[in-house]
Amino acid sequence: MPAVLAPFSAYLEDPDVTDVFVNGGAGLFVDRGAGVVAAREWRATEEEVRDLAVALIGAGGRHIDDATPCVDVRLGGGIRVHAVLPPIAPEGTVLSIRVPRLEVATLDDLQRTGMFDERMRRRLGEAIAGRANLLVSGAAGAGKTTLLAALLAEAPEHERIVTIEDVAELRIAHPHHVRLEARQPNIEGAGGIGLARLVREALRMRPDRLVVGECRGDEVRELLSALNTGHDGGAGTVHANSLQDVPARLEALGALAALDDRALARQAASAIGLVLHVERDTDGARRIVAAGRPVLDGDGRLAIEEMRWGGE
């Protein structure tokens, strides 16, 4: 663990902790998988929290100050840190620390935790073996990245998996995994490399499976285009509150890429073979609660046709 994280060691070394949050001088909060709770023993002033933010961001190779008050970095071990300074955060410096678990879950592991049943386990294996293009949807912390990594680990060893992420989080138990990570502009606003460009670069790397860790902008156009031109077995994730909210989310992303609703619908219905929606229950358990396939509705817009996968 990087030395700069020492003030949080008691929480980061807890195997159940997934997230640590600091709200200025107001306190620290921890998520152990069942919701966020306050750490009453934590004490730090706003000045100390700001100093921590500067040190953490600096350890990630970036700079945070009044001119650049919102910064996201990845530290050793895959720990992700996001910091926001006042006055953007008027109540004080805000730190959000995402803690990856070092163990890489397999589909069998996820089945044992109750994410899906035996029938769905077989179907998931068939989807990977059949090189279906997959989209995993869900809210933040629902388990999208964990599920996607477990699915990709099922790919044959001879296949080349290229993943593209804003901040590299996907950990895949596969011998041929190439990771690409976006780069933010420097303090002069130059040198940034976004996800859309990385998708185009990845296509020159002869991937057998092209994966965008999270679609959140105009890179959706490049991904859908690639999946429509012979790049089977690809995958991605998207934030959505339910399976039926996925079309609206994709339409919003398509608008950022200058795709109208019907153009986006035709691309998505042709490119994506299966959508899996995951949710986290109040007890912390993560489950696949719905599955479907993109289709065109009567007006030529995108809809999701739900599939009955679970149960016997």
Side-chain angles (χ1 to χ4, degrees):
M1 182 184 300
V4 72
L5 288 168
F8 307 104
S9 60
Y11 312 104
L12 301 183
E13 292 171 0
D14 183 337
D16 295 325
V17 170
T18 61
D19 296 89
V20 176
F21 309 102
V22 182
N23 299 344
L28 180 145
F29 299 81
V30 181
D31 189 342
R32 292 182 173 87
V36 179
V37 296
R40 303 297 182 187
E41 69 280 3
W42 171 267
R43 296 288 185 275
T45 65
E46 161 58 20
E47 183 178 1
E48 289 170 334
V49 175
R50 184 183 177 107
D51 288 344
L52 274 172
V54 171
L56 288 166
I57 298 304
R62 299 194 63 198
H63 179 74
I64 188 168
D65 59 16
D66 292 341
T68 311
C70 307
V71 184
D72 192 51
V73 298
R74 179 170 51 86
L75 304 181
I79 293 174
R80 182 172 175 175
V81 178
H82 182 260
V84 183
L85 300 181
I88 304 302
E91 301 300 322
T93 301
V94 176
L95 286 171
S96 304
I97 304 173
R98 171 66 60 88
V99 188
R101 297 295 76 174
L102 295 180
E103 65 274 9
V104 179
T106 66
L107 287 184
D108 290 338
D109 293 333
L110 297 182
Q111 182 183 341
R112 282 191 291 270
T113 67
M115 180 173 270
F116 43 78
D117 61 17
E118 175 60 27
R119 184 177 183 182
M120 182 172 282
R121 169 65 178 86
R122 293 195 302 269
R123 295 290 187 89
L124 294 174
E126 291 167 0
I128 292 295
R131 297 185 58 79
N133 290 328
L134 307 174
L135 184 66
V136 181
S137 65
K144 300 186 298 297
T145 300
T146 299
L147 175 60
L148 181 57
L151 287 165
L152 292 169
E154 296 281 304
E157 291 189 359
H158 67 267
E159 292 187 349
R160 176 175 168 87
I161 301 173
V162 180
T163 60
I164 298 137
E165 299 178 86
D166 188 38
V167 175
E169 293 183 293
L170 273 168
R171 300 172 60 85
I172 304 171
H174 192 277
H176 201 162
H177 174 202
V178 178
R179 293 160 34 127
L180 301 180
E181 182 178 64
R183 186 173 71 188
Q184 301 296 321
N186 61 22
I187 196 169
E188 287 83 25
I193 299 178
L195 296 181
R197 177 178 170 184
L198 287 181
V199 173
R200 296 192 295 272
E201 298 294 335
L203 292 174
R204 301 183 177 96
M205 300 169 66
R206 218 223 71 183
D208 292 300
R209 295 181 186 262
L210 179 66
V211 180
V212 174
E214 181 185 332
C215 292
R216 61 174 65 187
D218 60 354
E219 67 277 357
V220 71
R221 175 182 55 204
E222 272 68 31
L223 177 63
L224 292 177
S225 178
L227 299 183
N228 270 309
T229 55
H231 290 274
D232 295 333
T237 75
V238 66
H239 275 83
N241 292 327
S242 71
L243 190 69
Q244 298 308 322
D245 286 337
V246 170
R249 178 61 173 160
L250 290 178
E251 286 178 355
L253 297 179
L256 298 174
L259 289 173
D260 64 38
D261 293 348
R262 287 168 176 77
L264 180 282
R266 291 193 297 272
Q267 289 279 309
S270 175
I272 300 170
L274 176 64
V275 182
L276 301 168
H277 186 74
V278 294
E279 292 182 358
R280 185 172 74 168
D281 292 342
T282 54
D283 62 0
R286 293 165 170 83
R287 296 182 176 88
I288 298 178
V289 297
R293 61 171 63 90
V295 296
L296 300 181
D297 68 13
D299 295 323
R301 293 181 61 182
L302 187 64
I304 301 294
E305 180 179 79
E306 190 161 353
M307 304 162 61
R308 298 182 63 85
W309 264 25
E312 295 296 335

